[in-house]
Amino acid sequence: MRATLSLIHREFSAYFYSPIAYVVIAVFLLVTGYLFSLSLLQLTALGPKGISYPMQLIVNDVAFWLVFLFIPPLLTMRSFAEERSTGTLEMLLTAPLRDWQVVMAKFLACYAFYVLMWLPTLLYLPVLLDWEWWTTRCGIDPWTVVATYLGLALAGAMFLSLGMFVSSLVRSQIIAALVALFLSLIFIVAGIWRPDLDASGLAYRILFYFTVPLHFERNFGRGVVDTRQLVLYISVAVLCLFLTIRSLESRRWR
Amino acid sequence: MIHVSRLTKFYGDYPAVQDVTFDVGAGQVVGFLGPNGAGKSTTMRILAGYLTATSGSATIAGHDVVWDSLEVRRRIGYMPESCPLYHEMRITEYLHFRAGIKGLYGAKRRQRIDYVLKRCWLEDVRRQIIGTLSKGYRQRVGLADALLAAPPVLILDEPTAGLDPTQIRSTRELIRELGREHTILLSTHILSEVEMTCDHAIIIHRGRVAAQGTLSELKDRASAGAGLVAAFDGQIDDTALASLEGVTAVQKESVDGIVRVRLKSDDVASLTPRLCNLAAAKGWKVREIRPERPTLEDLFVQITGRENA
Ligand SMILES: Nc1ncnc2c1ncn2[C@@H]1O[C@H](COP(=O)(O)OP(=O)(O)OP(=O)(O)O)[C@@H](O)[C@H]1O
Ligand SMILES: [Mg+2]
């Protein structure tokens, strides 16, 4: 266990050796900050404009999903591809660690970075929720926010593990990022492109099953937690982590 | 300590290691010799648990390298060929991390790190970033890492490649010293290195073990070609040489009036006085007489040259 912690610690600090981490955090905070300011305007607007749920505008925006599409591949592209191309994987895999420990350590380090990235957005919440600190009551129903963060936490795990699996297959970081981006696009594209479909039609229902932005628009953003989506995120994440372990194992036989 | 039996490794269709069998006893320092592409690194990677053999088995300290890989990895210090390291870390940071994943904590970890830094002459650069180190220093970091957990077995893939002559010398001395506490398997192309540091050698060629044994056994094998070299001024009569007792073959060449003969014999020691007597009786002007000692290099060239031809 402590050995795994050592590896998590190294993997996590490795993010801060490279400029990518800072760029990712900066762009992410810029976009969410901008959307936050828009939300404020909308929440306080009079008349027919405005939004009814606090996080709705942030997670419904195309810009947000574009950023969200790019971030996980950038965070995971290094994980195995770089170690393979520089040969350090040989050092890592001949240390007394099991393959699943290596994979879990890398995943947790990368997930910790993802969580770190989201932490500053908690500062917006008192304003978005109309929080009165002297009564500790919220003017707006907080469950929509809790549901949104839950959705983001699990969807993030899905995209990160997908990126990690791709990274374990290739040698080049760029290719790892591009392939992961392409695979993530399957889950996101309908949220950016927004086809004009009848919401009760079969096409929409199929699309809705795996399109993450639609889940946030219809469910999480409105405080609805639908287990079908949680199951999708968790099962894709677990499957990808499992395949990553397998891909490491298979490399020993080649 | 290391027991390898009928190990075979195919990369696709290409057999990199075939039917390799050898044993390394506890406390031995064994040199693993072979030309480029002989399969040394492949064998070592299998022993370190990085690759899995296609067939055959290997055990280290009684643990199978495939089925009990974790136990094996706890007992070996492995230094890969090109010594890959995380370039953005500092030396002490890196060793801290490696000690952590090898299960060393607290005071023990600090003490071992100090020890390996001293042992591998890294104290002056301990805070330096690995990416800015020269190749030789990186090599030493790799060696320090292998020593960290005080493993009973060290597997070192070309530990002196890329070092300067003084460093090569001190690294060899270090390896000899380490040989008192550890069982060492080290690969190299440099034959004199094996003669200086090892007590056993395994010569591997095209994925097969071509010769193995203690250094003196191997030299005896090479001594099929042993003999005397003698040089004379002026003409000599080589039929007289050939009829000398114990001579099995004579090679003669003359350059600038100097005749050089190479006499092959199974008993070089007693041949020398007989040759001197003959030369004195015939009135030949002797320039030099020296025994031709077989070296490991001769054996190496014999083995690798024979199959290339
Ligand atoms: N990953 C690989 N895929 C295919 N062939 C490989 C691979 N690794 C090594 N080989 C081949 O296997 C053979 C043995 O390689 P190995 O690295 O074990 O040689 P070596 O004895 O260490 O040589 P050197 O002295 O140059 O380090 C070589 O012919 C090499 O081309
Ligand atoms: Mg090699």
Side-chain angles (χ1 to χ4, degrees):
Chain A
M1 190 58 219
R2 290 182 75 177
T4 318
L5 280 180
S6 289
L7 186 54
I8 294 177
H9 176 248
R10 192 215 90 83
E11 292 295 329
F12 185 69
S13 23
Y15 278 113
F16 299 96
Y17 294 127
S18 86
I20 288 181
Y22 298 101
V23 173
V24 162
I25 289 197
V27 170
F28 177 77
L29 290 183
L30 219 67
V31 170
T32 47
Y34 171 68
L35 292 174
F36 168 67
S37 66
L38 275 190
S39 305
L40 275 191
L41 288 178
Q42 300 267 312
L43 281 170
T44 52
L46 294 172
K49 293 208 296 179
I51 48 173
S52 32
Y53 303 104
M55 292 290 279
Q56 204 179 34
L57 201 123
I58 295 182
V59 296
N60 282 1
D61 195 274
V62 174
F64 173 80
W65 287 105
L66 268 180
V67 171
F68 195 81
L69 174 66
F70 277 88
I71 285 179
L74 287 177
L75 294 185
T76 54
M77 63 180 190
R78 284 178 54 255
S79 59
F80 287 100
E82 188 189 34
E83 300 234 20
R84 279 181 121 197
S85 62
T86 60
T88 46
L89 197 62
E90 187 167 355
M91 285 293 221
L92 193 58
L93 295 186
T94 53
L97 286 174
R98 291 176 202 282
D99 288 351
W100 65 262
Q101 287 176 308
V102 173
V103 172
M104 284 318 290
K106 283 190 174 262
F107 176 74
L108 289 177
C110 151
Y111 196 72
F113 188 88
Y114 177 76
V115 170
L116 178 81
M117 191 178 85
W118 274 101
L119 279 185
T121 65
L122 294 180
L123 288 177
Y124 307 152
L125 289 186
V127 179
L128 283 181
L129 289 174
D130 191 15
W131 189 55
E132 295 178 336
W133 59 270
W134 60 92
T135 57
T136 68
R137 285 227 188 85
C138 299
I140 295 176
D141 177 20
W143 287 110
T144 59
V145 172
V146 173
T148 306
Y149 273 95
L150 175 72
L152 286 168
L154 292 177
M158 173 172 90
F159 287 115
L160 290 175
S161 57
L162 189 69
M164 243 179 46
F165 172 54
V166 173
S167 180
S168 77
L169 294 176
V170 298
R171 246 164 215 285
S172 147
Q173 293 185 48
I174 306 287
I175 292 177
L178 287 179
V179 174
L181 195 75
F182 180 75
L183 291 179
S184 314
L185 203 58
I186 297 172
F187 294 98
I188 289 183
V189 67
I192 296 170
W193 160 53
R194 290 183 188 267
D196 194 12
L197 288 174
D198 174 11
S200 57
L202 181 67
Y204 182 85
R205 272 191 297 169
I206 293 175
L207 214 55
F208 179 75
Y209 186 72
F210 60 83
T211 300
V212 178
L214 294 183
H215 301 163
F216 281 86
E217 184 181 326
R218 275 194 32 191
N219 290 346
F220 297 116
R222 297 180 184 174
V224 179
V225 176
D226 184 340
T227 33
R228 277 176 303 176
Q229 278 119 48
L230 299 189
V231 167
L232 172 74
Y233 301 165
I234 294 175
S235 50
V236 171
V238 169
L239 178 73
C240 286
L241 289 178
F242 174 76
L243 289 176
T244 312
I245 298 172
R246 277 293 132 122
S247 125
L248 272 199
E249 275 170 7
S250 78
R251 197 209 33 74
R252 292 182 200 270
W253 293 92
R254 246 174 268 147
Chain B
M1 205 66 170
I2 304 174
H3 179 78
V4 175
S5 140
R6 313 208 52 166
L7 206 65
T8 302
K9 174 75 187 176
F10 278 86
Y11 288 118
D13 288 339
Y14 179 80
V17 172
Q18 290 179 68
D19 232 2
V20 164
T21 301
F22 63 83
D23 273 293
V24 176
Q28 288 179 356
V29 180
V30 177
F32 206 41
L33 276 167
N36 289 125
K40 303 181 294 291
S41 302
T42 305
T43 312
M44 289 182 147
R45 284 176 165 170
I46 293 171
L47 291 180
Y50 181 63
L51 290 178
T52 309
T54 313
S55 68
S57 67
T59 59
I60 292 182
H63 298 276
D64 189 278
V65 294
V66 179
W67 304 114
D68 220 355
S69 177
L70 219 60
E71 286 303 313
V72 169
R73 286 186 252 161
R74 284 203 183 101
R75 284 169 176 76
I76 59 173
Y78 173 55
M79 179 178 149
E81 187 161 24
S82 51
C83 221
L85 302 166
Y86 295 117
H87 283 192
E88 66 287 342
M89 294 178 101
R90 292 177 196 284
I91 294 182
T92 40
E93 242 174 2
Y94 178 71
L95 292 177
H96 251 272
F97 156 64
R98 293 294 297 183
I101 63 176
K102 289 180 178 186
L104 295 173
Y105 307 104
K108 177 99 178 121
R109 159 147 70 175
R110 275 194 301 280
Q111 178 215 326
R112 282 305 298 179
I113 289 174
D114 283 340
Y115 170 79
V116 296
L117 284 175
K118 190 150 85 221
R119 212 67 211 265
C120 302
W121 311 285
L122 287 167
E123 280 167 315
D124 303 337
V125 290
R126 57 191 301 160
R127 303 279 311 146
Q128 203 168 326
I129 290 171
I130 292 177
T132 67
L133 291 172
S134 68
K135 167 102 168 64
Y137 274 89
R138 280 184 212 167
Q139 201 96 348
R140 294 189 217 168
V141 177
L143 192 58
D145 170 46
L147 289 176
L148 257 183
V153 178
L154 291 178
I155 295 179
L156 311 174
D157 203 347
E158 301 189 18
T160 57
L163 298 182
D164 67 47
T166 43
Q167 275 308 317
I168 288 187
R169 188 168 298 195
S170 38
T171 306
R172 284 175 189 163
E173 251 156 47
L174 176 64
I175 290 173
R176 255 203 310 263
E177 279 170 34
L178 292 173
R180 295 194 207 114
E181 305 150 35
H182 306 261
T183 304
I184 303 180
L185 180 66
L186 70 100
S187 82
T188 174
H189 307 120
I190 307 169
L191 293 137
S192 55
E193 186 162 300
V194 173
E195 296 187 48
M196 272 179 250
T197 53
C198 305
D199 32 52
H200 286 68
I202 298 163
I203 299 181
I204 171 169
H205 181 53
R206 296 201 178 163
R208 292 177 187 278
V209 173
Q212 60 176 316
T214 63
L215 288 193
S216 53
E217 274 168 22
L218 288 176
K219 281 184 188 164
D220 284 347
R221 265 196 64 171
S223 68
L228 280 179
V229 174
F232 305 97
D233 279 339
Q235 280 309 306
I236 59 155
D237 170 15
D238 50 322
T239 51
L241 281 177
S243 57
L244 209 58
E245 194 191 329
V247 173
T248 52
V250 181
Q251 269 179 315
K252 182 175 149 191
E253 60 189 59
S254 45
V255 184
D256 298 336
I258 297 171
V259 184
R260 194 175 290 274
V261 290
R262 182 167 275 126
L263 302 176
K264 298 227 165 170
S265 167
D266 296 329
D267 184 11
V268 176
S270 69
L271 184 62
T272 316
R274 265 180 275 135
L275 180 64
C276 291
N277 289 342
L278 180 71
K282 299 265 183 180
W284 295 337
K285 293 191 191 108
V286 180
R287 275 197 151 235
E288 65 165 310
I289 295 181
R290 64 181 159 88
E292 198 172 35
R293 286 234 167 72
T295 58
L296 217 48
E297 188 163 346
D298 294 324
L299 181 65
F300 188 76
V301 171
Q302 262 178 40
I303 289 168
T304 56
R306 176 173 10 119
E307 288 177 35
N308 280 337

